[in-house]
Amino acid sequence: NAGVMQNPRHLVRRRGQEARLRCSPMKGHSHVYWYRQLPEEGLKFMVYLQKENIIDESGMPKERFSAEFPKEGPSILRIQQVVRGDSAAYFCASSRDGDQPQHFGDGTRLSIL
Amino acid sequence: GQQLNQSPQSMFIQEGEDVSMNCTSSSIFNTWLWYKQDPGEGPVLLIALYKAGELTSNGRLTAQFGITRKDSFLNISASIPSDVGIYFCAGRFIQGAQKLVFGQGTRLTINP
């Protein structure tokens, strides 16, 4: 039962370093979404991608954050020059198409020292 | 941005009791989804609703898509210990926009 796989589950970085979060969608799913969750809050949309295309990045910070979903391999969320405020749980979801329900991975918990 | 108001924020109930929670919005939604999140894990889809007025059940869970398309509720009947967790409503509010907007969550605690 291969669900959405995210790695690493936990990631610790020092301020100024880069963080790379990976997401492999469910089998048969070609739509990927990234969300961020702060403690005691709901998830906030960041970006929506299909293979090799960014469809909606309206929730992405303008600087330091980027996402890709290459033809081969997992989707990557990249955060450059991390700051303390980037500490959060980052969740990836996938769906078969844009109208189907999104299924979530177990997240990557990013801690910035 | 668009907001979903989810209530109550927390519930403390006895095992066996029924539970009801709801979400409201000032905007029209085209899809309502209900998720449950356990500590350290991702949200797990419980019920998906696509039409105004739709009433859908999944075991002891029942959810409805409000007629006005601006609200939804989730009921859990005869609660059991494994129902403990945080429940989130989520919706798509614009036709063709695939991102989900989430409520703030309802934390359910059950006393045995």
Side-chain angles (χ1 to χ4, degrees):
Chain A
N1 182 19
V4 178
M5 303 301 293
Q6 290 188 248
N7 69 83
R9 291 293 308 275
H10 301 273
L11 182 60
V12 179
R13 284 288 179 266
R14 295 188 181 279
R15 282 178 295 171
Q17 291 185 323
E18 178 181 289
R20 291 171 70 89
L21 288 62
R22 296 175 184 78
C23 170
S24 296
M26 286 179 68
K27 187 177 181 180
H29 288 192
S30 60
H31 297 239
V32 166
Y33 315 79
W34 287 93
Y35 293 81
R36 178 162 63 179
Q37 185 180 35
L38 296 173
E40 306 300 318
E41 294 187 10
L43 283 70
K44 298 285 196 298
F45 170 79
M46 298 181 74
V47 62
Y48 164 37
L49 310 103
Q50 294 179 30
K51 285 286 186 180
E52 300 184 282
N53 285 306
I54 296 175
I55 307 302
D56 180 355
E57 55 182 349
S58 59
M60 286 278 272
K62 293 288 188 287
E63 299 177 348
R64 302 188 298 107
F65 284 71
S66 62
E68 63 177 6
F69 189 17
K71 186 176 181 181
E72 301 290 337
S75 175
I76 305 287
L77 179 67
R78 183 182 178 206
I79 311 173
Q80 296 178 287
Q81 299 175 330
V82 296
V83 300
R84 288 245 170 88
D86 296 333
S87 295
Y90 292 83
F91 289 95
C92 170
S94 73
S95 64
R96 192 173 298 279
D97 61 49
D99 292 328
Q100 293 299 307
Q102 297 174 21
H103 295 268
F104 285 81
D106 282 335
T108 293
R109 277 139 190 88
L110 176 63
S111 298
I112 309 301
L113 301 179
Chain B
Q2 296 295 326
Q3 296 286 334
L4 279 183
N5 295 313
Q6 185 172 349
S7 64
Q9 286 191 339
S10 59
M11 302 184 73
F12 298 85
I13 63 169
Q14 297 295 124
E15 183 177 351
E17 288 185 13
D18 296 344
V19 172
S20 184
M21 60 191 78
N22 69 84
C23 270
T24 60
S25 171
S26 57
S27 300
I28 292 174
F29 277 64
N30 290 302
T31 303
W32 283 98
L33 304 168
W34 284 92
Y35 290 87
K36 178 175 182 274
Q37 186 177 28
D38 292 327
E41 299 182 9
V44 174
L45 181 67
L46 300 174
I47 293 180
L49 302 158
Y50 298 102
K51 296 179 182 178
E54 181 180 353
L55 183 71
T56 297
S57 293
N58 178 8
R60 293 179 296 105
L61 278 61
T62 302
Q64 184 160 31
F65 192 141
I67 290 291
T68 65
R69 299 169 70 185
K70 294 183 178 181
D71 63 322
S72 177
F73 72 75
L74 174 71
N75 287 343
I76 306 173
S77 63
S79 58
I80 59 177
S82 62
D83 291 334
V84 166
I86 303 178
Y87 292 79
F88 288 100
C89 62
R92 294 196 188 101
F93 65 94
I94 296 175
Q95 187 73 27
Q98 308 309 331
K99 62 186 175 187
L100 292 178
V101 178
F102 278 79
Q104 307 96 318
T106 296
R107 182 181 295 274
L108 180 61
T109 303
I110 298 176
N111 298 316

